[in-house]
Amino acid sequence: MTSQVSSPAEQADPAEQRGEPSHLAEQRSPAGGPGGTKEVRRLDRVIIRFAGDSGDGMQLTGDRFTSETASFGNDLSTLPNFPAEIRAPAGTLPGVSSFQLHFADHDILTPGDAPDVLVAMNPAALKANLADVPRGAEIIVNTDEFTKRPMAKVGFATSPLEDGSLDAYNVHPVPLTTLTIEALKDFGLSRKEAERSKNMFALGLLSWMYHRPTENTEKFLRAKFAKKPQIAEANVAAFRAGWNFGETTEDFAVSYEVAPAASAFPAGTYRNISGNLALSYGLIAAARQADLSLYLGSYPITPASDILHELSKHKNFGVRTFQAEDEIAGIGAALGAAFGGALAVTTTSGPGVALKSETIGLAVSLELPLLIVDIQRGGPSTGLPTKTEQADLLQAMYGRNGEAPVPIVAPRTSADCFDAAIDAARIALTYRTPVFLLSDGYLANGSEPWRVPEVDELPDLRVRFASGPNHELADGTEVFWPYKRDPETLARPWAVPGTPGLEHRIGGIEKQDGTGNISYDPANHDFMVRTRQAKIDGITVPDLEVDDPSGEADTLVLGWGSTYGPITAAVRRTRAEGHRIAQAHLRHLNPFPGNLGETLRRYDKVVVPEMNLGQLATLLRAKFLTDIRSYTQVSGMPFKAEQLADVFKEAIND
């Protein structure tokens, strides 16, 4: 969905600053909601979490609610959370799938610390998520699933709907399954088929409750089930039944409005976008700006597979995708495409990077442009395939034999994945080097509004291929030297195979400077190793920008990658309480910005939050000999703003 927003402004999230649920800050408007019979309350923001079995369609439900929220014009941030198994055990805690959406009438940064509304489709969903729900929040429960056996599966000796354990919450008991089956009784579906639409009933109810548009969801359902029109209409009917239930039942006496966030964005055309989709579009845009074909050599792996799926749809833009038989074949094909003159990409996650490491080293030796997209996940080994982590930084920096330096770029938000992909392509093409692009599962699966850029805003990435001899021998003979370098970038020529006179050797054995011939000479090897390192060290990256409004802060928070949202929200809270604190965020992790060392020395205390055990902190201590306060988390979930705000205040007061 795209929407027009016309008034440029940037506004801090007041509820995030206060650290309180949005329902505590609500404003009442006169009665007269839908039908003119129910009260409508205006809120500045809401956090909703849909939770159920992995087969209950919670991700689809959340996606649809998000799409309608984006089309309405709210700012938003999402957090999908699901098991690694395609169909995890039904009714169990490990099988719970959830989708959290934070939407507001102003600029927000995170999916929210705690849900204001929990939709629990079964006892497992309630138990798995109840600890995150603050007192006074609303819980919508599918009472049909709270029978003896499902409750026993998750350790409920008595029904939480009856034993008083939910008295601190505003509970709405709704027989979702029964109501859905009743709504679909005229469609001739089996009970099991009808039950599958209960997520659409819940979506309809929440859409009524928060005044979400409905037309596009109905269009989506008819398109999704176009080959099964009966199923399509059944889902539409369930969706409408949920809306009508909210309108007519006495249990929901109030509905809520969250106005569009018109003042939060610069003017432009916006759409909701996930990190993997933004990254895919960024790769396509980079190839078009470079006037090159885009080649993806990949092997499916969570959470990177969506990039392969998306790019395969865009052959009209000169995109070629190859789903290889394994990770090694995927990067081998991509490196071959780079040798052939394409903008080459391979996508993977941490386990795949381990398998690709030898070929990455070959790309370093051949000095060819290649993008290695690592959508990080919890490790080690297979680890937590569907959970997020930032633990591949040292692997990207050093995970190859020999001295094999590679630039590293990390996006900060889902939408920023677009710009980061273009930036990584710029470095790869300009300096003839493989480049790591480090996203993660939180960015990949989460979504937020993205302003669609104008084409003339994108950088010119066109390259010049070698076309003839570039060196003159002592006897006057003109020859082509494949390792004769550009004096500014130290990049070697890019010679497309088949160009007459540009034949040269490739392979992993050390090259002679200039000629590219095989060389075992110790002095030459020393020179080539140092030259490859100097090329990476000399890459032009912007200086680090520091946000220090007062100019008097003695504590700096430095982050990288997807920690940007939680860190920034926590910094806002900390400043709102009267504390002085500075913030900076790294996109370029190799090489570091030129002013990073001076920036670190300017502050008495530097706090580095990371979703690993302190990998960036280790690099900073080693390179700049600066004391770093490392704050780490490896739970598979992103930081919470309140959690980080407490850490920052402790550092300030220390």
Side-chain angles (χ1 to χ4, degrees):
M1 291 294 156
T2 59
S3 59
Q4 295 289 336
V5 179
S6 57
S7 52
E10 187 167 346
Q11 179 181 350
D13 179 346
E16 283 186 328
Q17 288 179 343
R18 292 190 301 268
E20 63 187 18
S22 61
H23 283 65
L24 300 182
E26 64 191 21
Q27 297 178 337
R28 295 176 183 266
S29 65
T37 59
K38 295 193 176 184
E39 182 182 359
V40 179
R41 297 181 187 176
R42 303 195 68 177
L43 307 176
D44 58 6
R45 66 167 193 147
V46 175
I47 303 168
I48 298 174
R49 184 181 297 178
F50 298 93
D53 274 336
S54 59
D56 282 342
M58 294 296 94
Q59 303 307 314
L60 175 62
T61 304
D63 283 341
R64 288 315 311 161
F65 197 95
T66 299
S67 294
E68 297 295 0
T69 296
S71 69
F72 188 71
N74 296 118
D75 194 11
L76 61 90
S77 180
T78 69
L79 177 62
N81 184 20
F82 44 86
E85 293 82 6
I86 294 174
R87 184 64 173 95
T92 65
L93 294 177
V96 172
S97 173
S98 68
F99 188 104
Q100 183 161 305
L101 166 68
H102 182 189
F103 62 102
D105 64 2
H106 54 269
D107 172 35
I108 58 173
L109 299 157
T110 74
D113 287 358
D116 301 311
V117 182
L118 171 66
V119 181
M121 303 297 283
N122 60 19
L126 178 64
K127 187 164 189 177
N129 292 280
L130 190 59
D132 294 336
V133 182
R135 296 171 63 90
E138 300 197 59
I139 301 178
I140 299 172
V141 180
N142 179 15
T143 57
D144 288 326
E145 293 296 320
F146 280 75
T147 57
K148 187 174 182 180
R149 186 177 178 185
M151 289 192 294
K153 271 189 180 182
V154 295
F156 282 136
T158 59
S159 172
L161 306 181
E162 300 172 355
D163 63 9
S165 59
L166 300 181
D167 287 350
Y169 309 97
N170 185 15
V171 179
H172 301 276
V174 181
L176 289 173
T177 306
T178 300
L179 291 171
T180 302
I181 293 172
E182 177 65 21
L184 305 184
K185 64 182 180 181
D186 296 331
F187 283 84
L189 301 175
S190 68
R191 180 181 177 88
K192 186 175 182 180
E193 288 173 327
E195 283 183 9
R196 290 174 182 161
S197 297
K198 63 181 181 289
N199 63 323
M200 288 298 105
F201 189 100
L203 178 60
L205 173 58
L206 268 294
S207 296
W208 169 84
M209 193 171 175
Y210 289 97
H211 294 231
R212 299 298 91 186
T214 61
E215 182 180 353
N216 287 321
T217 292
E218 294 188 10
K219 288 181 180 178
F220 168 83
L221 291 171
R222 291 189 172 102
K224 180 177 177 63
F225 299 106
K227 295 181 179 179
K228 298 179 179 179
Q230 184 186 33
I231 300 297
E233 292 307 317
N235 276 282
V236 170
F239 176 68
R240 290 177 176 175
W243 177 283
N244 293 332
F245 177 78
E247 174 76 10
T248 58
T249 183
E250 294 182 3
D251 192 40
F252 291 90
V254 178
S255 64
Y256 303 93
E257 285 184 349
V258 180
S263 63
F265 308 112
T269 300
Y270 286 79
R271 59 157 296 162
N272 181 50
I273 200 164
S274 69
N276 275 351
L277 184 58
L279 202 153
S280 300
Y281 288 174
L283 293 173
I284 296 171
R288 299 290 285 186
Q289 292 301 105
D291 198 21
L292 299 174
S293 62
L294 177 65
Y295 184 93
L296 174 67
S298 183
Y299 180 75
I301 184 172
T302 302
S305 299
D306 286 342
I307 302 171
L308 172 60
H309 301 159
E310 181 62 32
L311 289 180
S312 67
K313 303 174 184 177
H314 297 288
K315 297 180 179 65
N316 57 313
F317 287 121
V319 179
R320 290 176 289 172
T321 54
F322 170 54
Q323 181 174 319
E325 65 268 29
D326 56 41
E327 296 280 4
I328 299 172
I331 191 173
L335 185 57
F339 179 59
L343 176 57
V345 184
T346 189
T347 52
T348 190
S349 191
V353 173
L355 294 168
K356 296 177 188 290
S357 60
E358 183 179 5
T359 307
I360 297 172
L362 177 59
V364 172
S365 177
L366 295 179
E367 299 187 47
L368 288 171
L370 173 67
L371 299 185
I372 305 107
V373 178
D374 178 5
I375 312 298
Q376 300 166 94
R377 70 190 207 188
S381 188
T382 309
L384 304 173
T386 59
K387 309 302 180 185
T388 196
E389 206 164 270
Q390 287 183 300
D392 295 352
L393 176 56
L394 293 183
Q395 182 185 31
M397 186 76 78
Y398 299 122
R400 294 163 295 283
N401 62 295
E403 296 289 345
V406 174
I408 302 172
V409 177
R412 61 175 60 183
T413 67
S414 295
D416 188 48
C417 288
F418 178 87
D419 295 319
I422 293 177
D423 196 16
R426 171 191 68 85
I427 293 171
L429 295 171
T430 303
Y431 296 90
R432 308 286 196 272
T433 177
V435 177
F436 261 101
L437 183 58
L438 288 185
S439 179
D440 60 40
Y442 171 40
L443 296 184
N445 296 318
S447 63
E448 64 178 351
W450 170 61
R451 188 182 71 85
V452 181
E454 300 295 333
V455 174
D456 58 10
E457 296 174 17
L458 303 178
D460 185 349
L461 301 180
R462 285 174 293 183
V463 297
R464 292 181 59 185
F465 291 107
S467 58
N470 62 354
H471 185 75
E472 184 176 313
L473 299 177
D475 62 3
T477 304
E478 291 188 338
V479 295
F480 174 67
W481 274 16
Y483 282 84
K484 185 169 184 176
R485 303 177 182 279
D486 181 292
E488 292 186 8
T489 65
L490 299 182
R492 78 174 186 90
W494 196 359
V496 176
T499 306
L502 304 191
E503 298 83 0
H504 60 281
R505 289 184 176 88
I506 62 170
I509 297 178
E510 184 63 280
K511 316 294 185 299
Q512 184 182 52
D513 178 44
T515 68
N517 294 331
I518 292 173
S519 173
Y520 294 100
D521 178 63
N524 177 77
H525 176 62
D526 183 273
F527 178 81
M528 292 295 280
V529 167
R530 295 180 186 278
T531 300
R532 287 188 288 260
Q533 182 65 58
K535 181 172 69 170
I536 305 306
D537 292 342
I539 291 173
T540 300
V541 301
D543 278 349
L544 183 66
E545 295 183 0
V546 180
D547 175 24
D548 186 359
S550 69
E552 299 177 0
D554 64 2
T555 300
L556 170 70
V557 181
L558 179 67
W560 70 277
S562 67
T563 57
Y564 174 77
I567 288 174
T568 307
V571 166
R572 288 180 178 179
R573 292 188 183 197
T574 306
R575 288 175 180 166
E577 294 180 18
H579 301 284
R580 293 171 178 168
I581 188 168
Q583 178 190 359
H585 208 78
L586 289 167
R587 166 177 281 179
H588 298 95
L589 297 154
N590 192 30
F592 286 129
N595 68 333
L596 178 56
E598 185 274 330
T599 299
L600 295 176
R601 288 188 289 271
R602 204 162 67 229
Y603 293 90
D604 296 336
K605 291 166 279 191
V606 178
V607 182
V608 178
E610 298 180 78
M611 292 188 294
N612 56 48
L613 294 183
Q615 296 186 14
L616 175 60
T618 297
L619 293 174
L620 296 175
R621 291 184 186 116
K623 186 171 181 65
F624 300 108
L625 303 180
T626 301
D627 182 35
I628 301 294
R629 300 186 180 208
S630 180
Y631 182 75
T632 65
Q633 174 176 295
V634 282
S635 64
M637 298 294 288
F639 287 114
K640 293 183 176 180
E642 183 178 9
Q643 163 194 4
L644 290 181
D646 289 341
V647 172
F648 300 162
K649 286 181 283 188
E650 182 181 345
I652 292 169
N653 295 325
D654 187 1

